[in-house]
Amino acid sequence: MKTEKTVRFYKPIPLPSDRDAVEYRFPFAVIDSSLIGKPEEESETSHHSIKVTITGTLAACWGFGRTESDPVLEKVLFEYGKRHIVEKLHDGILSDKEELLLATGNQPNECPFDPSRISEPSGTSIKVPIHTKGLMQYPEQNQRAEILIERRDYINAIFKERHGSKLLLINEERPLLHFFREANSEDEFTSRVIALANIVGNLNIDILRKITGISDTQVKSISLLDAYLKPIGGNYETIISIFRNLNRIRQGYPVHQDNAEVVRAYKFFEIDYPIEHYNNVWTELLERCLSALKSLLEIVKKETR
């Protein structure tokens, strides 16, 4: 089955930034193309926005000034935002407020677009063919997973721009697929929890030791992260607590040890143990991990000032 959505863009809004970055918010509306001109067009139109951020370092690499008043840079950021929106519509996971971050860690050294071929954002309208996909059975789950993976990638992009290496490591990308799936059995829950804990537990120890100056091998990965975040400030204590407790839960599987550490970790998340509804708990752990990654991204951005 195939449908079509119409996306209408409004006047961009430059955002003041307290760090070395340029940010724009691009408001837009989405409507099923078949409803345009119909009595229900207004009531069926959904309103959204996307915030596109480019670091000052990348803007300089592309030959732009570090100011939000550059109309050429505005058009480039708009093109990135527009393509991001199209991808989200295709995947069926467009949220009310989207975010996109561009840094040297996730973009080429030269701007890939010719600004003269990009339309002015205000008043632009595009049509997006939508194909129904069997993969997207659970839109809320997929949207949550997509945001989690995006935040991880943005953290790595900003961190790499400053320190030359990624912060959150992963041996292979396949475990990321767990975040798009429900957990309706103990085995599924176990594999999902292990994948989630690996996202926050597999840190770049070498670069953290270099930044913090801590060579003591008894100071492990999450403690090194704590030492890195503390001088920057922000909500680092909550981040560390979530990461530690996810790791403790992971250590209880697959051997299923009902040890005090695992029980305390579930208590931290206000989850009753033993577990009765696996998918409800899986969703809660995903949400808590996502909140920690959002906070971590804000702290990593703050360090770039």
Side-chain angles (χ1 to χ4, degrees):
M1 180 180 178
K2 177 176 154 182
T3 60
E4 183 185 80
K5 299 287 187 181
T6 295
V7 183
R8 298 165 175 160
F9 292 93
Y10 305 120
K11 185 177 180 179
I13 304 170
L15 302 175
S17 178
D18 61 353
R19 58 182 182 273
D20 186 16
V22 178
E23 297 182 328
Y24 273 86
R25 187 178 304 281
F26 298 96
F28 63 97
V30 179
I31 179 67
D32 192 302
S33 297
S34 65
L35 297 178
I36 294 178
K38 301 290 180 62
E40 64 268 38
E41 177 180 353
E42 183 175 349
S43 63
E44 292 297 323
T45 297
S46 59
H47 296 275
H48 312 255
S49 68
I50 179 168
K51 182 175 76 172
V52 184
T53 302
I54 183 171
T55 64
T57 301
L58 182 61
C61 286
W62 286 359
F64 296 108
R66 305 185 184 195
T67 170
E68 68 274 7
S69 62
D70 189 333
V72 180
L73 178 57
E74 175 188 296
K75 291 175 68 175
V76 170
L77 298 185
F78 168 64
E79 183 65 22
Y80 268 99
K82 182 176 66 175
R83 295 187 181 205
H84 180 88
I85 291 162
V86 170
E87 288 182 3
K88 287 300 186 77
L89 281 172
H90 281 158
D91 290 338
I93 52 175
L94 181 69
S95 62
D96 292 341
K97 294 182 178 180
E98 292 284 342
E99 292 187 23
L100 181 62
L101 188 146
L102 311 177
T104 56
N106 63 4
Q107 296 300 322
N109 293 329
E110 296 183 1
C111 180
F113 302 136
D114 178 356
S116 67
R117 299 190 177 189
I118 302 174
S119 60
E120 294 291 336
S122 183
T124 290
S125 178
I126 61 173
K127 297 185 183 299
V128 183
I130 306 295
H131 298 270
T132 302
K133 296 182 178 181
L135 177 65
M136 308 310 293
Q137 299 178 60
Y138 311 106
E140 289 185 7
Q141 177 80 7
N142 289 314
Q143 186 176 86
R144 187 183 299 111
E146 183 75 13
I147 294 173
L148 188 150
I149 293 171
E150 281 182 354
R151 293 298 177 271
R152 168 186 169 267
D153 290 344
Y154 293 163
I155 290 166
N156 279 336
I158 293 291
F159 191 85
K160 185 177 180 181
E161 181 170 282
R162 184 169 182 83
H163 299 290
S165 299
K166 294 180 180 180
L167 174 63
L168 305 174
L169 305 179
I170 190 169
N171 295 327
E172 58 176 339
E173 298 295 320
R174 183 172 297 179
L176 299 178
L177 294 175
H178 284 288
F179 306 144
F180 292 91
R181 297 168 179 161
E182 293 191 332
N184 295 310
S185 69
E186 185 175 15
D187 287 342
E188 290 181 352
F189 179 77
T190 298
S191 61
R192 307 286 188 268
V193 167
I194 291 173
L196 187 63
N198 284 340
I199 285 291
V200 301
N202 193 10
L203 303 173
N204 190 333
I205 296 176
D206 291 339
I207 194 66
L208 286 174
R209 290 198 186 283
K210 181 179 179 181
I211 295 169
T212 61
I214 298 174
S215 58
D216 184 354
T217 57
Q218 296 303 309
V219 181
K220 305 296 184 180
S221 59
I222 295 179
S223 293
L224 288 169
L225 180 66
D226 187 15
Y228 158 64
L229 296 177
K230 189 173 182 179
I232 306 172
N235 193 26
Y236 74 94
E237 291 178 330
T238 300
I239 297 169
I240 296 301
S241 294
I242 291 174
F243 280 19
R244 286 194 195 282
N245 284 286
L246 284 173
N247 191 52
R248 286 168 182 155
I249 290 175
R250 181 258 182 273
Q251 291 172 355
Y253 299 96
V255 293
H256 307 291
Q257 294 178 347
D258 295 335
N259 59 52
E261 288 292 306
V262 172
V263 174
R264 278 198 293 269
Y266 278 116
K267 186 176 181 180
F268 169 81
F269 291 115
E270 300 180 335
I271 294 172
D272 292 332
Y273 187 85
I275 299 169
E276 294 183 4
H277 303 289
Y278 289 105
N279 196 58
N280 290 347
V281 175
W282 168 233
T283 299
E284 176 63 21
L285 293 178
L286 266 178
E287 287 283 4
R288 297 298 291 274
C289 182
L290 177 56
S291 70
L293 290 178
K294 286 180 177 178
S295 296
L296 179 57
L297 176 59
E298 290 308 309
I299 295 178
V300 170
K301 283 196 225 176
K302 185 178 178 182
E303 188 197 14
T304 65
R305 288 189 297 179

